[in-house]
Amino acid sequence: MQDSSSKAPGPRNAKGFVLRFISGKYQGGEFPISTDKQIIVGRSSDLDMVLVEDMVSRKHAKIAMQTDGIWIEDLGSTNGTFVNGEKIKKSKLKEGDRILIGTSILKLMSGEAGRAAPSQTEAKRELGERDASSRTQQGRTMSGSIEEIPLPDLLQLFGSSKKNGVLVVRTEHDVGKIYLRKGNIYYANINDLDDVPADKAVYRLLTWTTGYFDLEPPDDRTWPNEVDLGVQEVLMEGFRLMDEFNRVKEELPELSSTLVVTAPLTAQLRNLSPEELDIFQAIINSTTVESVMNKSSLADVQTAEILKKLIKEEYVHVE
């Protein structure tokens, strides 16, 4: 047996790797990768991995173990094959890569120690059972955990594959929605509130790291102040804003903290800029740090900087 310990990042052992379905109607299923048999993926029932859905071609993709690693190749499918958000013709896979075929997201993973992987025959039968079960349930098109698939990665997949629908993200306390049209974002909100501009809602959602997502069918309603944002530009700007906000958020009170105008007010309002006066007015009309940030038309990092100044110079205080 060839010793692969000196080669990176090639797989340690073909039988130790599986494709795990982390989203879609086959979620939870696994399909083993073997040295002696390539995997042909498609809608046709005589193939190795059968995915029964309209967005999957009859013969969609091929996955095979070669001497230099695991490779995936698109077989001229109508809707394409995507690896980590990139549409591919042929690509070498590494552990942790996410593959989008139709509405299924698969992740290449090493097998768990001490756990026997199913045979390809057993895995095919299990996928068929999951397909039959999904037809009897009112399941959503795609669902999963954002701990498994972080929102930036998910948006990149949906943007590249030009998805339509509403990406709904649920945490213990909040519900965020991102509306997609041909892979672009045209609206977003948090807790169905319209006082946060769509782009700001998206940037705030990108900071969420726990919760569950569903891709629901398109919503035909029109929204005030719709936008047209490409996913790549949203991610680039979102990461920049998150870096900036992380530098200032430690100096802010908790979002649930109450802000109160200092009385008597000795600081001079004439010393405030128009933007600072707007935030001061928002504090008068609101109760918490979060509600002020929601009502502010400025980016979160700009609002945070102004709040820091107003607290430091005793225009307001935290209760």
Side-chain angles (χ1 to χ4, degrees):
M1 179 180 293
Q2 181 181 6
D3 180 10
S4 61
S5 61
S6 61
K7 294 186 177 183
R12 299 184 295 277
N13 183 326
K15 293 184 180 179
F17 282 81
V18 297
L19 293 163
R20 180 173 297 169
F21 287 79
I22 58 176
S23 179
K25 66 178 179 179
Y26 302 101
Q27 185 174 350
E30 291 186 355
F31 207 98
I33 297 175
S34 161
T35 54
D36 57 356
K37 193 176 189 306
Q38 64 185 9
I39 302 167
I40 304 298
V41 184
R43 201 173 67 245
S44 179
S45 61
D46 60 347
L47 301 181
D48 306 301
M49 183 190 294
V50 181
L51 305 181
V52 183
E53 55 173 287
D54 292 340
M55 292 186 66
V56 175
S57 297
R58 288 184 60 79
K59 188 177 285 189
H60 196 107
K62 176 175 69 175
I63 301 167
M65 170 65 70
Q66 299 179 5
T67 56
D68 59 344
I70 300 170
W71 289 79
I72 183 169
E73 179 181 357
D74 184 79
L75 299 178
S77 66
T78 301
N79 293 297
T81 302
F82 299 82
V83 176
N84 298 329
E86 297 288 334
K87 190 173 185 178
I88 60 97
K89 290 185 177 179
K90 187 174 183 179
S91 178
K92 186 177 181 180
L93 297 173
K94 62 183 183 299
E95 187 172 349
D97 280 350
R98 298 179 180 91
I99 303 160
L100 176 66
I101 297 177
T103 62
S104 292
I105 301 176
L106 303 90
K107 185 176 183 179
L108 179 63
M109 305 184 70
S110 59
E112 297 179 14
R115 176 184 172 189
S119 68
Q120 290 191 1
T121 301
E122 292 169 336
K124 179 177 180 178
R125 183 175 63 250
E126 182 187 346
L127 292 184
E129 292 170 354
R130 289 178 183 273
D131 174 49
S133 175
S134 71
R135 296 184 191 190
T136 64
Q137 300 174 5
Q138 292 294 326
R140 294 181 174 87
T141 307
M142 300 179 74
S143 61
S145 163
I146 63 173
E147 294 171 275
E148 185 81 66
I149 319 174
L151 273 177
D153 294 2
L154 196 61
L155 281 175
Q156 189 170 20
L157 284 171
F158 290 167
S160 299
S161 54
K162 302 187 183 303
K163 294 290 187 192
N164 295 312
V166 184
L167 176 58
V168 181
V169 185
R170 295 175 174 86
T171 69
E172 185 177 354
H173 302 291
D174 300 294
V175 178
K177 296 178 182 178
I178 299 176
Y179 295 75
L180 298 164
R181 183 185 295 128
K182 294 183 178 179
N184 277 12
I185 297 168
Y186 68 93
Y187 191 66
N189 63 38
I190 297 173
N191 297 329
D192 290 325
L193 300 176
D194 296 328
D195 53 355
V196 182
D199 54 350
K200 183 189 285 192
V202 174
Y203 298 141
R204 192 169 294 172
L205 281 167
L206 288 176
T207 67
W208 293 10
T209 56
T210 60
Y212 297 90
F213 75 86
D214 296 290
L215 183 64
E216 297 187 343
D219 189 322
D220 293 332
R221 288 179 292 176
T222 57
W223 300 95
N225 305 316
E226 286 190 5
V227 295
D228 184 17
L229 301 174
V231 166
Q232 290 303 323
E233 63 179 291
V234 165
L235 293 180
M236 290 179 63
E237 180 66 5
F239 290 142
R240 184 187 71 81
L241 292 173
M242 280 192 287
D243 287 342
E244 292 183 0
F245 186 68
N246 286 336
R247 288 196 291 269
V248 299
K249 71 176 183 180
E250 298 300 326
E251 303 173 50
L252 278 181
E254 295 291 331
L255 290 178
S256 58
S257 300
T258 299
L259 294 173
V260 178
V261 173
T262 302
L265 182 61
T266 57
Q268 299 297 310
L269 292 178
R270 64 172 176 266
N271 294 333
L272 298 179
S273 69
E275 291 82 7
E276 291 165 348
L277 282 171
D278 286 344
I279 299 301
F280 184 80
Q281 181 68 49
I283 294 170
I284 294 174
N285 295 333
S286 304
T287 57
T288 66
V289 173
E290 183 174 26
S291 61
V292 171
M293 297 189 75
N294 286 347
K295 292 181 183 301
S296 171
S297 61
L298 304 175
D300 282 352
V301 65
Q302 294 173 282
T303 305
E305 291 285 4
I306 292 174
L307 285 174
K308 282 170 51 182
K309 174 180 177 177
L310 294 178
I311 295 170
K312 180 179 179 180
E313 297 184 5
E314 300 184 345
Y315 285 90
V316 298
H317 62 275
V318 181
E319 282 194 347

